[in-house]
Amino acid sequence: MDITISCSPQFVKQLSQLEKAGGKGALAAKQAERIAGRLAETAAHSPFLRNKQTKGGEKRFKNIEKYDLGAGYRLICKREGRTLSL
């Protein structure tokens, strides 16, 4: 079962800014793109993605997932059925 990825214009802009900044920000942007691609490929989380989730996850909000991108960066996703909003 495939998942539809919905990227807000703000998310795309932030990724672009991180890539242009270079360094750790660019690495975090590439990692975010990789995770989004893997999520789009499969509805089930692969071991790769489970290892990248933040330690506490996101317990305060239903259907929210957080992924550790390194260097203090996080990718926050909201699942609504088969749609994943970034």
Side-chain angles (χ1 to χ4, degrees), residues 6-59:
S6 172
C7 296
S8 70
Q10 181 182 10
F11 175 74
V12 174
K13 182 178 178 181
Q14 289 172 340
L15 274 185
S16 176
Q17 289 174 341
L18 284 174
E19 288 174 350
K20 288 178 185 176
K24 292 179 181 180
L27 293 174
K30 288 180 185 175
Q31 185 71 2
E33 290 171 350
R34 263 188 244 125
I35 290 172
R38 297 256 178 125
L39 286 170
E41 290 174 6
T42 178
H45 290 273
S46 69
F48 167 81
L49 292 174
R50 265 189 246 120
N51 291 342
K52 288 293 179 185
Q53 282 188 322
T54 57
K55 291 179 185 178
E58 185 51 76
K59 306 286 186 212

Side-chain angles (χ1 to χ4, degrees), residues 58-72:
E58 185 51 76
K59 306 286 186 212
R60 295 174 291 173
F61 302 104
K62 186 177 179 181
N63 298 327
I64 299 290
E65 299 172 8
K66 288 176 25 179
Y67 296 92
D68 184 8
L69 302 177

